[in-house]
Amino acid sequence: MNERTRSRLGFTVRLLFVLATVFVVWRFLREIEVGRFTAALRDADYRLLTAAVLLNIGAQFVRAAGWTAMLGARHPIRFGTLLCYELAAQAASSLTPARAGEVMRLWLLKRENVPVTVTTALIVLKKSIGAVGVALLALPTPLLLGTTDWVLGVVLAINAVMILHLLLLVWVAHRRPGKRLPKFLRGLVDGMYFLRDRRGFTAAFAWILLGEVADAAAAFLVLRALHVNLSFAAAILVLFFIDFANALPSAPAQLGTFEAGALYSLNLLGVAPDLALAFTLVFHAQQAMPQIVAGLPFQLHYLAVRRNTRSTTTPVHVPEGKP
């Protein structure tokens, strides 16, 4: 399969996922009562919404601490620097498609002498550990909420898949890559070094799990701000559906997949469509807007630095016969 065929196939798959997401969201939007939707926004408790926004900002400090634990002693970087990088990457992911924030993170950490293969491996591991964390948090929620049996089956199945995936990565990390492997793959395996450090792995897992708990707490605050009387367990289950919907191809800031996951899960929990839509839009804004506002100045700064670096390193062509 040549490069053009792969590109077309990737575009087709992404388009199909986007169309499926639009269809799911459209089905829910048909049942919206505009009056109740606007009333839910108008009567919201803005003190709880402010607390949710502050929790989002605090979660960025937690995520930067997670990167400190993953990079460890091999690549020591100041916490303040990693926090700036985290904010810039989050803003880039919210404003551009195809997870461009991770591409920016590769370049930012390369400036700190972290190989691209190491950063790539750590990005994969962070997402894997985060998925395991959300799945474990969601594990008891179907029983606590008394939802249908198939929901429990889905949660159990995803827990099994994600835990096996993480165990496979741990197994790979403890094996010595053979010389037959391409250099890039050997670099990826070497980049999983923190999985071989029990203390480092435990610290990273704890920070990443704390970040997921913070997101669940923010979802709970937004639900209560909109006077949706669901438990913290329900907020975890909603976050579970959102996170795994966001794994699908989507627009910038997970626009569409985020809404589909939230609306579908709230429908399972018996929340009226208008209240579900109000929560979805407010929670999505709570997740994206603080990161954009706080991170955009850093993103623009680093883009300017990168542009200036490229311009100063580009060789100037001098025609023959001229000094």
Side-chain angles (χ1 to χ4, degrees):
M1 186 182 295
N2 57 40
E3 185 66 27
R4 179 176 295 182
T5 303
R6 284 197 297 268
S7 177
R8 288 178 177 176
L9 181 60
F11 174 79
T12 302
V13 171
R14 178 178 292 274
L15 180 61
L16 289 175
F17 275 118
V18 170
L19 291 176
T21 301
V22 170
F23 175 74
V24 171
V25 174
W26 172 77
R27 285 192 59 191
F28 284 97
L29 292 180
R30 291 186 307 168
E31 304 176 16
I32 298 300
E33 294 183 16
V34 177
R36 291 186 63 183
F37 167 71
T38 56
L41 296 178
R42 184 179 62 249
D43 298 336
D45 186 335
Y46 287 94
R47 293 171 300 177
L48 292 178
L49 293 181
T50 301
V53 170
L54 293 176
L55 196 57
N56 178 298
I57 295 173
Q60 308 314 311
F61 286 80
V62 172
R63 292 185 174 96
W67 274 98
T68 301
M70 288 193 298
L71 289 165
R74 183 185 290 195
H75 299 288
I77 302 175
R78 290 191 313 112
F79 174 79
T81 300
L82 288 175
L83 177 60
C84 294
Y85 290 173
E86 180 66 29
L87 292 170
Q90 292 287 351
S93 292
S94 297
L95 293 170
T96 53
R99 309 295 197 273
E102 304 303 355
V103 177
M104 170 167 273
R105 196 189 303 274
L106 291 172
W107 177 78
L108 290 172
L109 290 180
K110 189 176 180 181
R111 296 174 70 229
E112 306 292 337
N113 299 317
V114 181
V116 170
T117 51
V118 171
T119 305
T120 302
L122 294 181
I123 289 172
V124 172
L125 290 173
K126 183 176 182 297
K127 291 183 181 298
S128 299
I129 294 172
V132 169
V134 172
L136 289 175
L137 289 174
L139 189 57
T141 58
L143 298 176
L144 293 173
L145 298 171
T147 54
T148 55
D149 292 340
W150 73 264
V151 176
L152 177 60
V154 169
V155 174
L156 287 172
I158 291 180
N159 263 279
V161 170
M162 297 314 304
I163 290 173
L164 286 174
H165 174 69
L166 184 58
L167 289 175
L168 177 62
L169 292 176
V170 172
W171 178 77
V172 170
H174 282 80
R175 288 181 62 85
R176 293 183 178 180
K179 294 183 179 180
R180 293 183 178 181
L181 279 178
K183 183 178 179 181
F184 183 78
L185 291 180
R186 291 202 304 271
L188 286 179
V189 175
D190 181 63
M192 299 179 186
Y193 59 87
F194 93 96
L195 290 181
R196 300 187 286 271
D197 177 7
R198 291 184 180 180
R199 181 176 297 180
F201 175 75
T202 302
F205 190 92
W207 282 117
I208 295 170
L209 184 62
L210 182 60
E212 300 298 340
V213 172
D215 285 343
F220 177 70
L221 288 174
V222 174
L223 284 168
R224 288 306 175 97
L226 296 170
H227 310 292
V228 181
N229 294 319
L230 292 178
S231 64
F232 188 74
I236 292 175
L237 188 64
V238 171
L239 182 67
F240 171 81
F241 274 94
I242 290 174
D243 277 10
F244 283 93
N246 284 342
L248 302 174
S250 64
Q254 289 82 45
L255 187 63
T257 54
F258 189 106
E259 283 70 22
L263 291 170
Y264 186 76
S265 58
L266 289 171
N267 179 66
L268 288 175
L269 296 170
V271 178
D274 31 77
L275 288 177
L277 180 62
F279 165 82
T280 299
L281 296 180
V282 173
F283 185 49
H284 200 168
Q286 181 271 340
Q287 290 281 288
M289 292 308 297
Q291 296 172 1
I292 293 173
V293 172
L296 185 58
F298 295 103
Q299 180 192 0
L300 295 176
H301 167 72
Y302 293 128
L303 287 175
V305 170
R306 186 176 186 181
R307 192 180 305 114
N308 292 337
T309 303
R310 283 181 173 181
S311 63
T312 56
T313 57
T314 302
V316 179
H317 176 70
V318 179
E320 293 184 5
K322 293 186 179 183

